Amino acid sequence: MSDGTFVDSQMNMQKNVSLKNKTWFGVGGNAEYYIEPNDAQELKQALQYAYQNQLAVTMLGAGSNVLIRDGGIDGLVIHLPKSFTNIEIHEDILICGAAASLMEMAKVAAKACISGFEFMVGIPGTLGGGFRTNAGAYGADLGKITVELVTIDHNGIIKKYYPKQENIFGYRSCALPSDEICLEAKLQGQKEATNQQILNQMQLYKEKRQSSQPQGVRTAGSTFKNSPDFSAWKLLDEAGLRGYTLNGAKFSEKHPNFLINTGTASAEDLENLISFAQEKVLQKTGIKLECEIKILGKDSI
Ligand SMILES: Cc1cc2nc3c(=O)[nH]c(=O)nc-3n(C[C@H](O)[C@H](O)[C@H](O)COP(=O)(O)OP(=O)(O)OC[C@H]3O[C@@H](n4cnc5c(N)ncnc54)[C@H](O)[C@@H]3O)c2cc1C
């Protein structure tokens, strides 16, 4: 049951907050503790509270790449609100807060005639969430254009990373410790195209998505990672999983790597279908598909 009781009114921290409507899948239980800190200082205080009370810390962005289990998340869930959505332009660089929407960043860059951000159109997440999986599309990703990354760890220590010099990002992966929270990043594009050229490229990507991916559904994007040797959707297709349904969970007819909550699935149903697909593909090909979606929390008892 979600009661949203305030734990600490000074910090706006609440207890037992339902997370299901904060994710794209629309499933999952409650956060034991939940906070939307207004600034870095409040975030630090919340981390300190978690440390003192031995609470695990979990970040939640736009919830477009997570499957939260039905038993919810123990410890403290932190969601960075609007006050972290700043986007500033300095020549060919965008300085963005962790809660900035990737789609908004693409729009702002286009308006300023900065190319290199077009791939973000159609990725419905935030910079902070995208940083964890090195979100990308069409051969581009966040890691390739990030020149500086500011993080805060669970002890409240702020650090700066320079991804161009340090080997931090790989394909849908980030090598930083899991307790590094993204606060802000500087991302560099190029000032070589006109606004119209950039908008045309964005329109092209939009149309590509519309023709190949299901629209207006409860999903978290690609379920499994691709590799240089295979496309996950192909393996799923060949294993007979296109359109496959288990309770209310379903692999899209249009794009078999998109897992959909048709409306009645629980987190357990969705996770069961993920495991079933992994097993099926493993048996057929010997390949263990790796989940791109982050599965968080605990099963219901
Ligand atoms: C229709 C659709 C299409 C998609 N297309 C793509 C695509 O083309 N390419 C792609 O890469 N992804 C795609 N995705 C997945 C998703 O949108 C991206 O991964 C996105 O960047 C996740 O951001 P988020 O804010 O939703 O993160 P969330 O889903 O909220 O969180 C994702 C992970 O990041 C962590 N996290 C969140 N905020 C922070 C922070 N500030 N610091 C540290 N960790 C944090 C969370 O704990 C979690 O582990 C798609 C999803 C959907 C629904």
Side-chain angles (χ1 to χ4, degrees), residues 22 24 58-67 78-80 98-100 102 119 121-138 142 172 178 180-183 209 213-215 217-222 258 292 294-296:
K22 300 184 191 297
W24 270 60
T58 303
M59 296 303 294
L60 184 64
S64 66
N65 202 35
V66 291
L67 172 57
I78 301 177
H79 174 75
L80 301 180
L102 295 174
F119 74 92
V121 73
I123 307 184
T126 63
L127 174 66
F131 137 84
R132 198 26 84 195
T133 48
N134 189 15
Y138 309 114
L142 283 175
R172 299 297 171 271
S178 59
E180 296 273 358
I181 296 167
C182 172
L183 271 185
R209 270 183 199 274
Q213 298 175 3
Q215 305 292 304
V217 292
R218 289 179 177 272
T219 182
S222 296
F258 274 58
E292 187 167 320
K294 302 272 182 206
I295 301 177
L296 306 175

Side-chain angles (χ1 to χ4, degrees), residues 149-165:
L149 181 66
V150 183
T151 65
I152 182 167
D153 69 15
H154 290 188
N155 295 315
I157 296 169
I158 293 186
K159 295 180 201 158
K160 272 189 189 170
Y161 293 96
Y162 301 91
K164 299 254 174 202
Q165 284 103 55

Side-chain angles (χ1 to χ4, degrees), residues 117-236:
F117 293 75
E118 297 89 333
F119 74 92
M120 296 178 185
V121 73
I123 307 184
T126 63
L127 174 66
F131 137 84
R132 198 26 84 195
T133 48
N134 189 15
Y138 309 114
D141 59 47
L142 283 175
K144 288 185 185 135
I145 58 171
T146 302
V147 288
E148 188 181 299
L149 181 66
V150 183
T151 65
I152 182 167
D153 69 15
H154 290 188
N155 295 315
I157 296 169
I158 293 186
K159 295 180 201 158
K160 272 189 189 170
Y161 293 96
Y162 301 91
K164 299 254 174 202
Q165 284 103 55
E166 302 165 78
N167 218 1
I168 294 175
F169 294 107
Y171 171 72
R172 299 297 171 271
S173 68
C174 167
L176 295 184
S178 59
D179 77 335
E180 296 273 358
I181 296 167
C182 172
L183 271 185
E184 192 177 88
K186 286 185 186 167
L187 303 105
Q188 187 168 32
Q190 302 89 41
K191 279 225 158 200
E192 286 161 7
T194 62
N195 172 252
Q196 196 53 51
Q197 284 168 328
I198 296 170
L199 290 177
N200 288 348
Q201 187 58 57
M202 283 163 69
Q203 183 60 24
L204 212 73
Y205 286 154
K206 225 173 168 177
E207 284 165 15
K208 263 192 172 181
R209 270 183 199 274
Q210 280 164 354
S211 67
S212 62
Q213 298 175 3
Q215 305 292 304
V217 292
R218 289 179 177 272
T219 182
S222 296
T223 311
F224 300 109
K225 292 184 185 182
N226 294 317
S227 103
D229 304 325
F230 62 79
S231 294
W233 76 264
K234 246 187 187 163
L235 298 186
L236 293 164

Side-chain angles (χ1 to χ4, degrees), residues 18-39:
S18 171
L19 296 174
K20 91 188 210 185
N21 292 324
K22 300 184 191 297
T23 74
W24 270 60
F25 269 135
V27 297
N30 290 358
E32 189 185 5
Y33 295 86
Y34 179 85
I35 191 166
E36 296 188 359
N38 282 313
D39 52 31

